[in-house]
Amino acid sequence: MRRPAISMTPDRWIAVGFGVLMVASLLVMSALSGHMSASAMEADNAMRLVQIQDFLKGQGWFDLHQDRLGLEGGTAIHWSRLADVPILIIKSGLDIFLPSQKALEIACLVWPPLSVLLVVWGLMKGARFMGGRVVLAFVCIIAATVLFRNANFLSGSIDHHNIQLGFLAIAAGFSLDPERRPVSLAIVGAALASSTAVGAEVYPFVGIFCAFHALDWAFAGAPARRGVIAFGASFAALTALFFAASVAPANYGIVHCDALSLVTLSAAVSGGAGLAIVVAVLSEKPFAWRLASLGALGLVCGLLLTAQAPQCLANPLDGLPPIVRTLWLEKVDEARPLFTVRPSMAQEVPFMVGVSLVALIVSIWRVWRGVQRRAHLLFVALLAVDLLLTLQQVRFYSFGHVFAILPLGAWVAGLFATREDGERSAAYLLALAVSLPLVWGAPGRMFRTPPGELVDNGNGASACASPGMLAALDELPVGRVLSVADVAPDMLRYTRQSALHGHYHRNAAGIEAALNIFTSPAEEASGLMREAGVDYILACPGHAELRMLADESPGDFADGLNAGIIPDGLKVIRRAGDGETLYALQPLAPRT
C-alpha cells in the first residue's frame, strides 16, 4: 500500500515561505552592499577560499598547512575542512555548466544565503514545540529582523560562523520537544557534533546543551530515557565520524585545544556514550542515584581532560607573546571586550546585547512563573553564557541574537493572545519592539561619530594591495612579503608570494616577527627583516593598521613607511597614486 504524501499544513507553508524570503532578502542585501563579488571578501572568508583553492589544486584533504604564510615552514591553519564541503558540493554541480573558477566563485556567493535555512529549520521547529501558529508568526517577525542582513549569511561570507549558528539553532529548536522523542534528541546530538567539528568557539554552548539534557534526565527519569540515550549516542558517534573525516590518521594522537582533536574526541565519546549507558541502566533508579551517576560521569570526563591536555583548561590565546597580545589581539575588533571604546559604541553596545538581555529576563520570569519551564531553563543558561562571552569578545553577540528569538517570540505571542473579555492587549506591541535588535541600535545613531571623523578599521584588504599592485607583485621572483596583516589572504590568492603574517593566532611567530620589525628603528628593521626572510615590503600609508603601529612607536620603521619616507636599504619597485608603495629589500653590500 502506498504511503500518503506528506501534507503541506499551513504551518509548513509559513516555514517554507519564510525560508525562501530570508534567502531572497540576503541575496538582495548582498547585491546592495557590494558583496556579490568574490573579490569583495573580507580576510577570513578570503583565507577559506585560499584553503579551498589549494585543495582543488591537489593539496591533501587532511592537509590544512599554509606553506606561504608565516616564517620558514609556514602555518598550520586550525580551521576544519568540513566547512568547505557545502561549497565544494555546489561547485561540483555548477561545473557541468561553467568554467571551474567561475563555478567556485558562484558557489561562494550562493552558499552563505542558503545556509540561513539551517537557522530557519531550527527556529521553525522550536516555534512549533513552544506553541501554535501565533508563536510561529512572531518568531518569523523577530527572526527576520535578526537575519535579513546578518553579515554571516551575506554572499561571500564562507567562514564557518554561518553553519555554527545554523547547527546551534537546530540544537535549540529540537531540544524543546516536550515529548523528548528519540529522533528529536538524536538530531540535537548530531547538530552539536557538527558544530563541535567545525570550530572550537562553540564548546561552551555545546557544554550547556549536554548539561541540560543530562540534568533533564536526572529530574525526569524514565520519560526522558529513550530520548537522552539517542542524544548521547548520536553526539558520540557523529563526533567520532567527523574526527575520522577531518583528522589524518597520523595525527590521531596529537592534541589541539583550538580544533577537533584527540581531546575533543575523548570528551565527546566518553561523555556522550557514557551518558547513554548511564541513562539506559539507571533510569528507574531514584533521583539521588541518577544525579550521583552524572556527577561520577562528569568527574571521569574532567580527569580524562586534565590527564590528556591540562593546557586546554586555559585560554589558548594566553600563550601569545606579549607584543602579539597588545599590538595584534587587542586591536582585532571582533576579539575586543564589549565595552572597549569605539566610534559607534553608543549604537553597537545596545544593538549587540539589548535583545539578549531582554530574552534572558523574560526567560527567568517565565521559569519563575512555571511557564514552559523546561524550555526557558535552557534559554536562561544559553543566554547567560552568551552575555558573559560577549563581555569578553563581541563576536559572540550573534549567537545570543539567535538564542533570543524563540523565547521572545513565545513571550510576544502570549501577550498577543485574546483575553477572556474578548479584548486584545496592546502590550504585545511594546514587547515586540524591545525584541527587535534594530530598535536597540536606533537611538545610538544620534551619538555616532560623523563620517568624516570615523577611523578606518582596516578590515578590508581593499584598503591595501590594489589589483595593480598584486599583479606587479606576482611578476617578481618568489619571496616573502611584509605588509599589514589584512592583505595576507589576497596575497596568497592572487600571487605566488608568501606573506609574513596574517590574522591567525597559529601564525603567532610570524605576527611577532612583523610587529618587531614595524616597531624597531629603521636601522635595526633591515636586520630583522633579513632574519625573517623578508624580500619585499608593501606599504600603504594611511592604512589603519600601519597608522596604529606608527602611533605606538613614533619615529620607528612603521612611522617612516606611513609618512612615505623611503628607508635606507629599500628600493622602490612600484608606487601608486594613493601612496601605496612596493619596496624590495636590497642585498647587503659585499664586504671588502
Side-chain angles (χ1 to χ4, degrees), residues 526 529 537 557 561 566-572 583-586:
S526 178
M529 284 189 282
I537 299 90
F557 186 63
L561 290 177
I566 302 177
D568 293 337
L570 299 186
K571 176 184 177 182
V572 175
Y583 302 95
L585 183 63
Q586 293 182 321

Side-chain angles (χ1 to χ4, degrees), residues 50-109:
V50 170
Q51 176 176 292
I52 294 172
Q53 289 176 326
D54 288 347
F55 169 70
L56 294 173
K57 292 175 182 176
Q59 189 168 352
W61 172 262
F62 298 114
D63 183 6
L64 299 177
H65 201 269
Q66 287 297 331
D67 295 327
R68 295 187 294 133
L69 177 65
L71 296 170
E72 194 66 33
T75 301
I77 299 295
H78 66 287
W79 294 343
S80 171
R81 181 74 79 186
L82 297 174
D84 304 340
V85 172
I87 298 166
L88 293 170
I89 292 174
I90 295 173
K91 177 193 176 297
S92 65
L94 295 174
D95 276 339
I96 302 172
F97 313 101
L98 298 170
S100 180
Q101 186 59 33
K102 190 65 177 178
L104 177 58
E105 291 180 4
I106 293 178
C108 292
L109 300 179

Side-chain angles (χ1 to χ4, degrees), residues 12-23:
R12 285 198 176 98
W13 278 114
I14 291 173
V16 170
F18 180 68
V20 172
L21 178 64
M22 284 296 93
V23 173

Side-chain angles (χ1 to χ4, degrees), residues 115-446:
S115 69
V116 79
L117 295 177
L118 296 173
V119 178
V120 170
W121 183 33
L123 294 178
M124 297 301 98
K125 201 68 179 179
R128 290 183 63 191
F129 287 140
M130 293 195 77
R133 195 166 302 157
V134 176
V135 173
L136 182 63
F138 281 110
V139 164
C140 287
I141 293 171
I142 297 170
T145 67
V146 171
L147 300 174
F148 85 102
R149 61 174 184 177
N150 189 302
N152 293 298
F153 302 102
L154 294 178
S155 294
S157 298
I158 59 173
D159 195 7
H160 54 265
H161 298 305
N162 50 9
I163 55 176
Q164 283 183 321
L165 288 168
F167 290 140
L168 291 179
I170 291 169
F174 280 89
S175 290
L176 304 184
D177 185 348
E179 298 179 13
R180 305 177 181 87
R181 286 172 291 189
V183 65
S184 293
L185 297 199
I187 290 173
V188 175
L192 294 180
S194 302
S195 193
T196 298
V198 169
E201 57 263 63
V202 299
Y203 288 2
F205 301 127
V206 173
I208 292 295
F209 279 107
C210 292
F212 170 77
H213 288 291
L215 291 173
D216 184 42
W217 166 76
F219 282 90
R225 178 178 180 273
R226 293 176 62 240
V228 177
I229 289 175
F231 166 76
S234 173
F235 181 56
L238 266 294
T239 302
L241 176 63
F242 290 137
F243 177 83
S246 58
V247 179
N251 296 331
Y252 280 177
I254 298 177
V255 169
H256 293 298
C257 303
D258 57 357
L260 182 61
S261 69
L262 176 65
V263 65
T264 317
L265 177 69
S266 300
V269 171
S270 61
L275 177 63
I277 293 170
V278 165
V279 170
V281 173
L282 299 178
S283 287
E284 302 298 333
K285 296 294 183 179
F287 168 74
W289 280 65
R290 298 196 296 269
L291 194 62
S293 68
L294 292 181
L297 179 61
L299 180 61
V300 169
C301 292
L303 291 174
L304 187 61
L305 172 62
T306 303
Q308 282 187 324
Q311 71 274 21
C312 292
L313 298 175
N315 187 336
L317 300 178
D318 288 343
L320 293 175
I323 192 172
V324 177
R325 289 189 60 85
T326 57
L327 293 186
W328 175 69
L329 182 63
E330 293 177 5
K331 307 297 182 182
V332 177
D333 191 58
E334 69 172 21
R336 301 169 82 184
L338 177 66
F339 291 106
T340 300
V341 176
R342 51 176 66 85
S344 53
M345 184 177 178
Q347 179 187 5
E348 290 182 6
V349 171
F351 173 81
M352 290 177 179
V353 301
V355 295
S356 300
L357 191 57
V358 171
L360 177 60
I361 294 171
V362 166
S363 297
I364 293 172
W365 176 70
R366 300 197 104 189
V367 168
W368 180 66
R369 293 290 302 272
V371 179
Q372 296 180 317
R373 181 170 287 162
R374 175 176 174 271
H376 286 97
L377 279 170
L378 174 61
F379 289 119
V380 167
L382 289 172
L383 290 163
V385 168
D386 179 78
L387 285 168
L388 289 174
L389 292 173
T390 302
L391 286 173
Q392 298 301 314
Q393 292 190 355
V394 295
R395 62 178 174 153
F396 285 101
Y397 85 88
S398 57
F399 293 97
H401 281 193
V402 171
F403 294 144
I405 293 171
L406 286 169
L408 291 176
W411 175 50
V412 177
L415 294 175
F416 180 80
T418 304
R419 300 200 308 244
E420 292 183 1
D421 57 8
E423 297 182 1
R424 195 180 304 281
S425 170
Y428 82 93
L429 293 174
L430 178 60
L432 181 60
V434 298
S435 300
L436 307 180
L438 296 178
V439 172
W440 285 93
R445 293 181 66 88
M446 296 183 294

Side-chain angles (χ1 to χ4, degrees), residues 450-464:
E453 299 177 20
L454 285 175
V455 176
D456 175 21
N457 60 17
N459 287 336
S462 60
C464 189

